[in-house]
């Protein structure tokens, strides 16, 4: 928990927290709507809502005066639902309801709600209206005179049946949830805005982890840079689309930045292309290709370069995938690198042999056309690497592949700079 709080303060988890918070609030739309319905008494049985089986019926004005909530049941005939007269007051529609007592009262309900239950029972059509309340009718003298003129049969113009309740000023469920989700989205966007700068800086820092830190690591990367710069084009755009400019960017360990996207793409590639899902499988593959039958069975320099360069590549991908430490990657890479120095005399011999091995593999598995096309692209990358001022091929081929020697060398340079 302390670690999580620390990461939260540093901004490492803030984007995730913002996303989770927005998601939780998104899921709360339903419960919040139900709370809203309960608070405003909007549900079935509530004021203005659908009348239930236990809702009391008002059959006279006297019943209405005694009941806090009630429903009106109006009978029609065997042929049709009850015809209802209506009139207007200040733009609002009022209906004339006949009661069993012979009295008539004015009532108002929200017609946009499907709260009127119509059915034919015992051969008679009838309509059960929403739950209402007996309310004082505040009319001006002019309005009251108009009501008495338009609906002369009303038993009273002092009161009316209000079957709208809070439905009159409320919103529909769809609009409520739409507004709630919009609010959640705004919260998420605001949160992302405030953390994006810090998160972007953090991502850049994570991405830079795969940049070589010294000549030893640059040497390792150089052994598979032809593949690495091809791999750099992938995984950061739509599927199947290459970012050609990316191959002219930084030369990285494992060919990818160590951000979330780079790690994910590296692991997916290991699984899809190598059927490797964990560090043990990866080390077993490297041992097979660099010290086992995969290497000892090689008869040509092209075959040896193909096995050893890909072994070094896998070790770089292992680090980028987050499966091993930098020290572990360097230690194992030194062993493979020394084997390269034993069998090859220069960067040129290694790279040309690798390209030949790559061509042979493509030709064997995919045919001559794809082999020639793939070789052209890899050779273009090789030529670009040769021309770069930071080219690893500018390093001595026989650079001592010893982590301790590299550390001593860096310490000496640091002392001279001081």
């Amino acid at each position: 928990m302390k670690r999580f709080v620390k990461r939260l303060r540093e901004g490492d988890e803030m984007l995730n927290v913002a996303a989770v918070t927005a998601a939780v609030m998104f899921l709360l739309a339903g419960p919040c709507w139900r709370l809203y319905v309960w608070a405003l008494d909007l549900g079935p049985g509530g004021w203005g809502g659908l009348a239930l089986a236990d809702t009391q019926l008002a059959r006279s004005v006297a019943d209405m005066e005694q009941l806090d909530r009630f429903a009106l049941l109006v009978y029609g005939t065997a042929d049709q639902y009850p015809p209802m007269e209506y009139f207007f007051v200040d733009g609002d529609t009022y209906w004339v309801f006949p009661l069993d007592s012979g009295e008539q009262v004015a009532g108002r309900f929200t017609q946009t709600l499907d709260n009127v239950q119509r059915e034919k029972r015992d051969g008679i059509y009838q309509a059960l209206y929403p739950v209402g309340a007996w309310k004082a009718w505040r009319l001006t003298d002019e309005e009251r005179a108009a009501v008495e003129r338009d609906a002369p049969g009303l038993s009273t113009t002092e009161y009316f049946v209000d079957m709208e309740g809070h439905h009159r000023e409320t919103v529909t469920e769809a609009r409520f949830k739409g507004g709630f989700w919009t609010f959640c989205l705004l919260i998420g966007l605001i949160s992302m805005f405030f953390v994006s700068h810090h998160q972007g800086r953090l991502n850049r820092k994570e991405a830079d982890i795969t940049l070589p830190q010294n000549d030893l690591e640059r040497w390792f990367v150089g052994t598979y840079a032809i593949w690495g710069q091809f791999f750099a084009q992938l995984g950061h755009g739509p599927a199947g689309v290459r970012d050609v400019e990316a191959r002219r960017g930084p030369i990285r360990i494992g060919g990818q930045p160590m951000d979330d996207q780079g790690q994910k793409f590296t692991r997916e590639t290991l699984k899809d292309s190598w059927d490797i899902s964990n560090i043990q499988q990866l080390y077993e593959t490297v041992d097979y290709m660099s010290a086992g039958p995969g290497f000892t069975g090689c008869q040509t320099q092209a075959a040896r370069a193909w096995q050893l360069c890909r072994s070094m590549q896998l070790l770089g991908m292992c680090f980028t995938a987050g499966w091993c430490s930098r020290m572990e990657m360097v230690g194992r890479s030194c062993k493979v690198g020394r084997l390269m120095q034993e069998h090859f005399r220069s960067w040129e011999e290694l790279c040309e042999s690798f390209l030949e091995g790559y061509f042979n593999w493509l030709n064997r598995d995919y045919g001559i056309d794809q082999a020639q096309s793939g070789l052209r692209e890899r050779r273009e990358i090789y030529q670009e690497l040769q021309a770069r001022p930071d080219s690893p091929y500018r390093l001595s081929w026989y650079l001592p592949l010893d982590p301790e020697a590299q550390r001593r060398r860096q310490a000496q340079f640091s002392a001279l700079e001081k």
Side-chain angles (χ1 to χ4, degrees):
M1 184 64 183
K2 291 182 179 179
R3 183 180 178 184
F4 174 79
V5 173
K6 180 181 178 181
R7 287 166 63 86
L8 181 63
R9 289 175 178 172
E10 293 174 351
D12 196 25
E13 299 291 346
M14 292 183 70
L15 195 58
N16 290 335
V17 170
V20 171
T21 300
V24 169
M25 294 187 68
F26 186 87
L27 294 175
L28 286 176
C32 286
W33 165 254
R34 290 190 288 273
L35 179 62
Y36 177 76
V37 168
W38 172 83
L40 295 184
D41 201 15
L42 301 176
W47 185 16
L50 194 72
L52 301 178
D54 60 352
T55 303
Q56 292 182 286
L57 298 178
R59 303 184 183 278
S60 66
V61 171
D63 291 343
M64 296 176 186
E65 293 174 345
Q66 295 177 2
L67 296 173
D68 181 55
R69 297 284 190 271
F70 54 82
L72 296 180
L73 181 63
V74 180
Y75 297 97
T77 66
D79 299 320
Q80 64 177 4
Y81 287 108
M84 300 289 291
E85 297 180 2
Y86 61 91
F87 58 94
F88 299 98
V89 177
D90 195 23
D92 291 328
T93 304
Y94 288 81
W95 303 81
V96 178
F97 289 90
L99 305 179
D100 292 350
S101 63
E103 298 167 296
Q104 290 184 347
V105 294
R108 186 179 66 196
F109 64 95
T110 304
Q111 299 183 67
T112 56
L113 298 176
D114 189 20
N115 285 343
V116 180
Q117 304 173 65
R118 294 181 172 88
E119 63 177 337
K120 188 175 184 180
R121 180 175 294 184
D122 298 330
I124 300 297
Y125 285 97
Q126 62 183 34
L128 181 63
Y129 287 87
V131 176
W134 193 234
K135 293 291 182 180
W137 204 355
R138 296 180 176 84
L139 300 173
T140 64
D141 293 340
E142 183 179 350
E143 289 173 337
R144 197 175 304 279
V147 169
E148 292 174 350
R149 180 190 68 239
D150 296 336
L154 291 178
S155 300
T156 177
T157 58
E158 298 294 331
Y159 292 86
F160 74 101
V161 182
D162 186 349
M163 291 174 279
E164 288 185 326
H166 295 294
H167 289 283
R168 185 177 178 84
E169 64 268 12
T170 191
V171 296
T172 63
E173 181 177 2
R175 290 186 61 186
F176 178 90
K177 289 184 176 179
F180 191 89
W181 289 331
T182 301
F183 175 70
C184 294
L185 178 61
L186 288 175
I187 289 180
L189 291 175
I190 291 172
S191 300
M192 291 173 65
F193 173 79
F194 279 109
V195 303
S196 61
H197 176 71
H198 184 85
Q199 193 68 35
R201 183 172 59 85
L202 185 63
N203 287 339
R204 288 191 294 273
K205 182 178 179 181
E206 290 177 343
D208 290 346
I209 293 175
T210 55
L211 294 177
Q213 294 183 348
N214 49 52
D215 286 348
L216 183 61
E217 293 182 359
R218 289 179 61 212
W219 195 97
F220 297 152
V221 172
T223 63
Y224 58 84
I226 297 174
W227 167 86
Q229 295 312 97
F230 169 82
F231 192 54
Q233 304 173 108
L234 311 177
H236 288 263
V241 177
R242 297 180 186 178
D243 180 6
V244 178
E245 288 301 317
R247 79 187 198 190
R248 303 181 181 94
I251 304 173
R252 296 181 180 275
I253 297 171
Q256 288 282 326
M258 193 185 278
D259 53 15
D260 291 341
Q261 195 170 1
Q263 278 198 335
K264 179 182 178 183
F265 183 64
T266 299
R267 292 178 182 181
E268 289 175 347
T269 302
L270 286 169
K271 178 60 179 176
D272 295 341
S273 300
W274 292 86
D275 197 24
I276 292 175
S277 302
N278 54 59
I279 189 172
Q280 181 179 353
Q281 293 175 346
L282 187 143
Y283 285 163
E284 289 174 353
T285 303
V286 170
D287 291 342
Y288 175 85
M289 293 195 305
S290 62
F295 180 73
T296 57
C298 293
Q299 301 297 318
T300 65
Q301 287 294 77
R304 294 185 186 96
W306 182 240
Q307 297 288 34
L308 294 179
C309 290
R310 291 189 303 148
S311 296
M312 196 75 86
Q313 163 199 325
L314 284 177
L315 292 173
M317 295 178 75
C318 185
F319 174 67
T320 303
W323 289 351
C324 71
S325 67
R326 199 179 203 102
M327 183 180 297
E328 179 75 7
M329 180 270 296
V330 168
R332 288 180 177 268
S333 297
C334 282
K335 294 180 182 180
V336 178
R338 285 192 286 268
L339 194 59
M340 288 177 165
Q341 289 176 333
E342 290 177 12
H343 289 83
F344 298 90
R345 293 168 296 180
S346 66
W347 283 110
E348 183 179 4
E349 184 184 8
L350 177 74
C351 293
E352 289 293 345
S353 298
F354 169 78
L355 290 172
E356 183 181 348
Y358 172 69
F359 175 84
N360 293 338
W361 168 72
L362 271 184
N363 187 35
R364 182 181 65 249
D365 290 356
Y366 299 97
I368 187 64
D369 291 340
Q370 190 161 344
Q372 291 175 343
S373 174
L375 181 60
R376 280 196 299 271
E377 182 180 24
R378 291 298 203 278
R379 188 165 289 281
E380 287 177 2
I381 294 175
Y382 175 42
Q383 292 169 350
E384 290 171 358
L385 285 167
Q386 288 178 306
R388 292 175 62 138
D390 62 343
S391 173
Y393 306 141
R394 298 180 186 274
L395 296 170
S396 169
W397 170 249
Y398 291 106
L399 181 79
L401 304 184
D402 182 352
E404 289 300 325
Q406 180 65 40
R407 278 193 283 271
R408 289 194 298 269
R409 185 181 179 188
Q410 284 184 313
Q412 289 173 356
F413 281 135
S414 298
L416 291 175
E417 289 176 355
K418 290 180 181 179

